[in-house]
Amino acid sequence: MARLVELGAKQFVRFLSDLWTQRNWQTKIQPRGEGRFLVQGQRADGTKGMMLVLPDAEAVVSKDHVRGFVAHAKKRQIDVVVVATQGEYADEVRGLATNHDVKLLDRDELGETVENEAMEESVKQYTDGDVYETAEVEFGLPFDLPEPIENALESLPLDAIRERLGDLGGGSDGGGSGGSSGGGSLRDRLPSSLDDLKSGSPPSVRVVVVAVLLLVLALGSVAALGPAVNGSGSSGGPDGVALSALSTASSSSADMTARWNAQTTSSITVGNNTYTAPDGEQFVVVALNVTNQRTSPGSLPQSAVVFESDSVRYSHQPLQNVSSFSGGLFAPNESKTVWTIYTVPEDTTTGTLVVQPTAEDTVAFVYDDSLPAEPQTES
């Protein structure tokens, strides 16, 4: 889970004000004394919002804080009521907030918002470059590994794995994929050889490196990361995007299995309408045949599947008068073909389909080049 880095009190308040501004609010900040601030907002349609901010990381937001703020907001006829802190909420605050339709924000919630909406640059202007808080947990690695493990590690195609992980790990700033800040990308933290794993005094590596290598040992690097396709469905090339898909569970344990195929194109036709990508951009069309493997209804909303490239996440591209995902609801044991489309820069060469952590059901992606990678008109 991405957790927002701790900000100075004033920086935290200004960041929250910026967050609302980016969502088309006109905002105003008012100090309220005792380490509290109000962020007031109004939209063009007349919607009014008010946010109580306790920026101190040691703050404990009590029931009295929220009760008094709610009473003030109701008196002002506020439509959107929010409480934000870098500290903690007392246990009883959650229930009170739910009963009065108050949104609670903390650094965990804000970290997910920044990650999902690719707002890292908005955070960086208030920090030294850090975006997400990271734990420097280390895992000791002995000099002498058991021979079977050492042989397995030596056989891993580390260069190929590092190349394929370039899109998944993000940059040193944490990126859109929630990578750790200050430690380089996930690709850069991978060792280049077994000797690198055993070097140093004391010999230790980040847990994330060991976890990735164990994952590769268990699943295989290609199977874990997914195959690559371009516009013609082959193994990649200058005329398309090398695309992979990152599963959230194995095929045997996932709630849903999604067979998929993709193509890149400058225009698509749906029914009687043709849609053309803007200048300097291209479409990535993804078809998925989704099977709900559970005996209860399942959900895979279109918004949950995003395209990630160079640490940037792209949401699906809505098309006027077109429905392409059937609402994302799947009956027990139902199989259904849906499709989605992304608009990405035309110089994009690699990308990964990623399921947002907000999706309730797990998904196993299986590449299937026999699946037509083109828009389908719903019957």
Side-chain angles (χ1 to χ4, degrees), residues 41 62 64 80 112 147 152 154 159 185 207 220 257 263 295-296 308 325 355 370:
S62 69
D64 289 340
V80 178
E112 290 189 19
E147 185 174 351
E154 285 180 334
D159 289 339
S185 69
V207 170
T257 297
Q263 66 159 318
T295 56
S296 58
E308 181 175 307
F325 226 75
V355 177
S370 68

Side-chain angles (χ1 to χ4, degrees), residues 234-253:
S234 65
S235 60
D239 297 327
V241 176
L243 189 62
S244 59
L246 189 63
S247 301
T248 57
S250 65
S251 297
S252 60
S253 63

Side-chain angles (χ1 to χ4, degrees), residues 17 20-29 39-51 76-80:
S17 178
W20 268 15
T21 299
Q22 292 187 39
R23 294 177 175 177
N24 300 318
W25 294 86
Q26 291 183 343
T27 62
K28 179 173 63 175
I29 299 173
V39 177
Q40 299 187 56
Q42 184 163 338
R43 283 179 168 157
D45 62 2
T47 301
K48 293 189 293 185
M50 185 176 292
M51 186 186 316
R76 297 279 302 275
Q77 297 183 321
I78 301 299
D79 303 296
V80 178

Side-chain angles (χ1 to χ4, degrees), residues 234-318:
S234 65
S235 60
D239 297 327
V241 176
L243 189 62
S244 59
L246 189 63
S247 301
T248 57
S250 65
S251 297
S252 60
S253 63
D255 298 316
M256 297 183 178
T257 297
R259 295 189 299 109
W260 68 276
N261 196 8
Q263 66 159 318
T264 56
T265 181
S266 59
S267 66
I268 61 171
T269 299
V270 185
N272 296 323
N273 298 319
T274 298
Y275 304 86
T276 303
D279 290 342
E281 297 184 314
Q282 61 182 328
F283 290 142
V284 177
V285 181
V286 180
L288 304 105
N289 181 262
V290 181
T291 301
N292 180 12
Q293 302 185 147
R294 305 192 312 171
T295 56
S296 58
S299 173
L300 181 63
Q302 190 172 23
S303 60
V305 184
V306 298
F307 178 96
E308 181 175 307
S309 178
D310 292 331
S311 304
V312 177
R313 285 189 172 182
Y314 301 87
S315 300
H316 73 278
Q317 171 66 61

